[in-house]
């Protein structure tokens, strides 16, 4: 992918590569070199297509202006702010490479112990307080990443579903890597190449889907920046667009929370404060404060800590009465109403061995991998539950990373439908790990996915008190969704 020059007119340098003539092939080697010559022609053609698409991108979202502006398509409806900088987007394959450079991680699994030992030397670069760190602007952490599915067809197989749509699980992996890189840009230290911070994903606060299709034959663009900071944590806003009629249209909005730890990933570390330069940025920061308060309130009223509300207790009791057998006078005799399913019959489970291939830059299992495996199991659960129609992801929220997953662990995922309403399906995926030496299971994550079916789905009914709490928890997550989504025929987001 060619770089974009700065100036009033953005022209991709890689266009000149397509005009360069190929070297002549000697007659004695013409037949033997025909395959190489054809391959070079194809590569030159692919580079030209990528440059043309990048030029389109530069004319649209990479305007050489600064500050925060509204989104390109119906901005009042989406309410998304974007920072526009005259910069070149990073190729999606280079995001992980940049993270390895920043952390000093090796691509060789055998070298990970040595790399972690070298990071101990960075401890002296850590700040003793946040006051000793220079403030950063939102634009300092702004990054754009290009996923050229249209201009580089060789990338499609990794993202392709059998229904010729884009795998949402792969998108989750890309968002997780991008969120970490954004935070490293915010906390960049110019005096050292490697960062003394270990930045990890703490929470996926919310991912809301827009009513746009995901085509595996059109380029995708990600953008994001830090929108709020505490002392050791940061909130990251990310957006995803796809090329449609020579314009990038919104696909999703995501909010992640990252935490900074020391160079050995053993304790918290301070992050650079954030300075606000416009009313729009002040509004984004205020939203971050509200999100933090909402998370605290949601956690304090968790059903694991407090009893259900009076309204919720009434809901559960009415569902219990609707399942009693009218032919008997017994609390034990239970029957399902029409078009209903017992919650216990909606479960699916999976087991993964966590190989070194799925490790992150700190030699733990990559959080994006965990999200992808959980999402795909959740999608299969919703698909198995629905009335013969495919489910589509609508929202992801409240994914808390409670414990890191070590390489070599056994990953147990358990998924079940916990709430339904009309054509909506709320799925909860519980993640546990066990080491080969210790068979004790520990919870690492709980994932919440909201799916939508083209047809009305059956009601799900709990049988036990524990399942009733799962039902109420699923109802709370469903009600926290930003707004109901009207499904369109071109809305295709699958595993």
């Amino acid at each position: 992918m060619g770089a974009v020059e700065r100036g009033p007119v953005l022209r991709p340098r890689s266009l000149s590569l397509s005009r360069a003539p190929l070297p002549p092939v000697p007659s004695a080697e013409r037949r033997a070199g025909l395959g190489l010559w054809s391959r070079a022609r194809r590569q030159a053609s692919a580079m030209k297509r990528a440059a043309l698409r990048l030029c389109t991108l530069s004319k649209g979202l990479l305007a050489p202006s600064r500050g925060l502006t509204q989104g390109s398509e119906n901005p009042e409806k989406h309410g998304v702010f974007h920072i526009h900088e005259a910069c070149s987007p990073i190729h999606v394959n280079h995001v992980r490479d940049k993270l390895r450079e920043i952390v000093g991680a090796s691509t060789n699994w055998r070298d990970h112990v040595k790399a972690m030992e070298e990071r101990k030397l960075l401890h002296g670069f850590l700040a003793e307080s946040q006051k000793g760190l220079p403030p950063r602007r939102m634009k300092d952490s702004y990054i754009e990443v290009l996923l050229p599915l249209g201009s580089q067809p060789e990338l499609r197989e990794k993202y392709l579903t059998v229904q010729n749509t884009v795998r949402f699980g792969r998108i989750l992996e890309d968002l997780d890597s991008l969120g970490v890189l954004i935070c490293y840009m915010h906390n960049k230290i110019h005096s050292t190449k490697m960062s003394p911070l270990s930045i990890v994903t703490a929470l996926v606060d919310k991912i809301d889907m827009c009513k746009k299709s995901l085509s595996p034959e059109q380029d995708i663009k990600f953008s994001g920046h830090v929108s709020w900071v505490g002392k050791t944590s940061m909130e990251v806003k990310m957006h995803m667009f796809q090329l449609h009629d020579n314009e990038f249209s919104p696909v999703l909005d995501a909010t992640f929370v990252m935490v900074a730890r020391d160079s050995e990933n053993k304790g918290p570390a301070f992050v650079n404060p954030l300075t606000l330069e416009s009313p729009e940025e002040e509004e984004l920061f205020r939203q971050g404060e509200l999100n933090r308060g909402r998370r605290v309130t949601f956690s304090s009223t968790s059903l694991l800590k407090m009893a259900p509300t009076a309204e919720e207790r009434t809901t559960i009791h009415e569902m219990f009465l609707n399942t009693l057998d009218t032919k008997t006078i017994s609390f034990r005799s239970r029957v399902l109403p029409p078009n209903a399913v017992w919650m216990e019959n909606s479960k699916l489970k999976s087991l993964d061995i966590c190989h070194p291939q799925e490790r992150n830059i700190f030699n733990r299992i990559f959080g994006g991998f965990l999200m992808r495996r959980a999402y795909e199991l959740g999608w299969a659960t919703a698909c198995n539950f629905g009335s013969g129609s495919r489910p589509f992801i609508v929202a992801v929220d409240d994914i808390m990373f409670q414990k890191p997953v070590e390489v070599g662990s056994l990953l147990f995922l358990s998924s079940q439908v916990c709430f339904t309403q009309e054509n909506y399906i709320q799925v909860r995926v519980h993640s546990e790990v066990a080491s080969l030496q210790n068979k004790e299971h520990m919870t690492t994550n709980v994932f919440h996915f909201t799916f939508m079916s083209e047809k009305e789905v059956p009601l799900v009914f709990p049988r036990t008190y524990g399942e009733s709490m799962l039902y109420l928890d699923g109802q709370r997550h469903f009600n926290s969704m930003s707004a109901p989504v009207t499904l369109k025929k071109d809305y295709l987001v699958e595993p």
Side-chain angles (χ1 to χ4, degrees):
M1 183 66 63
V4 177
E5 298 177 349
R6 299 176 183 267
V9 180
L10 299 176
R11 300 181 182 277
R13 296 173 181 171
S14 56
L15 281 175
S16 60
L17 296 176
S18 62
R19 302 191 185 102
L22 294 171
V25 181
S27 58
E29 301 176 355
R30 183 178 300 275
R31 182 172 300 178
L34 184 60
L36 294 174
W37 182 83
S38 300
R39 190 183 310 162
R41 286 289 301 271
R42 290 195 299 270
Q43 290 177 348
S45 178
M47 293 178 69
K48 181 178 180 180
R49 290 195 302 269
L52 288 173
R53 290 181 181 274
L54 185 56
C55 185
T56 302
L57 174 66
S58 301
K59 293 177 180 178
L61 295 178
L62 286 182
S65 59
R66 295 180 176 268
L68 292 170
T69 59
Q70 291 284 349
S72 59
E73 182 173 301
N74 201 353
E76 294 183 358
K77 180 178 180 180
H78 295 288
V80 176
F81 297 106
H82 305 290
I83 299 177
H84 297 297
E85 290 286 336
C87 59
S88 164
I90 305 171
H91 193 285
V92 68
N93 287 346
H94 297 161
V95 173
R96 297 288 292 272
D97 295 336
K98 285 184 173 292
L99 288 174
R100 291 189 186 97
E101 292 177 3
I102 293 171
V103 176
S106 172
T107 56
N108 191 341
W109 166 247
R110 297 178 181 178
D111 298 336
H112 75 280
V113 175
K114 179 181 177 182
M116 290 299 104
E117 287 294 325
E118 292 176 351
R119 285 193 56 79
K120 293 181 179 180
L121 304 176
L122 299 172
H123 200 274
F125 289 95
L126 293 172
E128 297 182 358
S129 68
Q130 193 178 42
K131 295 181 179 179
L133 294 171
R136 297 289 162 80
R137 305 167 299 176
M138 288 189 183
K139 65 183 66 176
D140 292 333
S141 62
Y142 180 75
I143 299 177
E144 292 185 344
V145 173
L146 190 62
L147 173 56
L149 296 178
S151 51
Q152 295 184 10
E154 62 272 15
L155 295 175
R156 293 177 191 168
E157 185 171 342
K158 177 181 176 181
Y159 292 85
L160 188 65
T161 72
V162 69
Q163 290 81 26
N164 199 40
T165 58
V166 175
R167 295 175 62 182
F168 185 68
R170 293 295 188 188
I171 300 300
L172 291 175
E173 290 182 328
D174 293 337
L175 288 172
D176 192 42
S177 296
L178 175 59
V180 175
L181 182 58
I182 288 172
C183 290
Y184 273 118
M185 292 298 100
H186 174 81
N187 295 278
K188 186 175 181 179
I189 300 178
H190 298 283
S191 60
T192 177
K193 182 178 179 181
M194 293 172 55
S195 173
L197 298 179
S198 301
I199 297 176
V200 295
T201 305
L203 172 72
V204 178
D205 184 67
K206 177 72 73 173
I207 300 178
D208 289 320
M209 303 296 300
C210 304
K211 297 184 291 255
K212 294 293 179 183
S213 63
L214 288 180
S215 168
E217 299 178 357
Q218 298 294 333
D219 289 355
I220 288 175
K221 173 182 172 290
F222 301 93
S223 66
H225 61 89
V226 171
S227 58
W228 175 89
V229 297
K231 290 185 177 180
T232 62
S233 60
M234 296 157 283
E235 183 184 270
V236 177
K237 293 284 187 183
M238 291 176 284
H239 312 289
M240 175 177 162
F241 308 85
Q242 185 161 49
L243 195 64
H244 181 70
D245 292 335
N246 293 328
E247 291 185 359
F248 279 89
S249 302
V251 172
L252 66 79
D253 304 321
T255 303
F256 282 45
V257 177
M258 308 290 182
V259 295
R261 300 178 65 80
D262 61 26
S263 55
E264 299 180 65
N265 199 9
K266 292 183 178 180
F270 294 103
V271 300
N272 292 70
L274 188 64
T275 182
L276 309 176
E277 297 184 316
S278 68
E280 291 85 354
E281 292 186 359
E282 293 176 359
E283 175 62 20
L284 280 178
F285 192 88
R286 189 184 71 85
Q287 290 178 7
E289 290 284 357
L290 293 176
N291 290 339
R292 179 176 176 272
R294 172 180 52 80
R295 289 190 293 266
V296 172
T297 301
F298 198 87
S299 175
S300 63
T301 58
S302 168
L303 293 168
L304 295 173
K305 301 177 181 179
M306 296 185 63
T309 64
E311 183 180 358
E312 291 174 333
R313 292 196 296 269
T314 301
T315 298
I316 293 301
H317 188 67
E318 289 178 350
M319 295 183 72
F320 173 74
L321 294 178
N322 288 334
T323 60
L324 289 180
D325 189 353
T326 57
K327 298 178 182 179
T328 63
I329 307 177
S330 172
F331 289 122
R332 295 184 177 181
S333 182
R334 309 279 296 275
V335 292
L336 275 174
N339 192 31
V341 177
W342 290 119
M343 185 182 292
E344 63 184 7
N345 296 329
S346 68
K347 291 182 179 180
L348 286 181
K349 295 184 178 182
S350 69
L351 169 65
D352 284 284
I353 303 174
C354 299
H355 295 288
Q357 181 184 8
E358 307 300 342
R359 72 188 187 279
N360 62 14
I361 53 180
F362 303 111
N363 295 292
R364 266 56 181 275
I365 294 302
F366 176 41
F369 168 77
L370 301 176
M371 287 193 286
R372 174 169 65 85
R373 297 297 295 146
Y375 168 77
E376 291 176 351
L377 181 63
W379 182 88
T381 303
C383 187
N384 189 54
F385 183 87
S387 303
S389 63
R390 290 195 169 281
F392 307 98
I393 186 67
V394 172
V396 182
D397 77 314
D398 196 26
I399 299 178
M400 178 73 73
F401 290 84
Q402 300 178 14
K403 293 181 180 294
V405 178
E406 302 293 340
V407 174
S409 302
L410 299 178
L411 176 65
F412 297 88
L413 295 177
S414 177
S415 174
Q416 68 183 119
V417 176
C418 56
F419 177 79
T420 60
Q421 179 176 303
E422 298 175 349
N423 54 344
Y424 290 99
I425 307 172
Q426 188 71 33
V427 178
R428 182 182 189 269
V429 182
H430 184 259
S431 169
E432 293 181 335
V433 295
S435 66
L436 297 178
Q437 294 78 22
N438 185 0
K439 296 184 179 180
E440 181 183 0
H441 288 217
M442 295 186 300
T443 298
T444 60
N445 306 81
V446 178
F447 305 85
H448 301 276
F449 303 105
T450 305
F451 294 95
M452 192 175 191
S453 176
E454 293 177 326
K455 301 179 182 178
E456 189 168 331
V457 299
L459 297 174
V460 62
F461 275 79
R463 296 187 80 162
T464 65
Y465 186 81
E467 289 181 348
S468 298
M469 296 303 100
L470 287 178
Y471 180 91
L472 294 178
D473 186 61
Q475 186 182 52
R476 289 181 178 185
H477 281 92
F478 175 78
N479 291 335
S480 69
M481 190 169 54
S482 297
V485 176
T486 303
L487 186 65
K488 289 187 176 181
K489 291 183 179 180
D490 62 347
Y491 187 90
L492 301 171
V493 186
E494 300 179 2

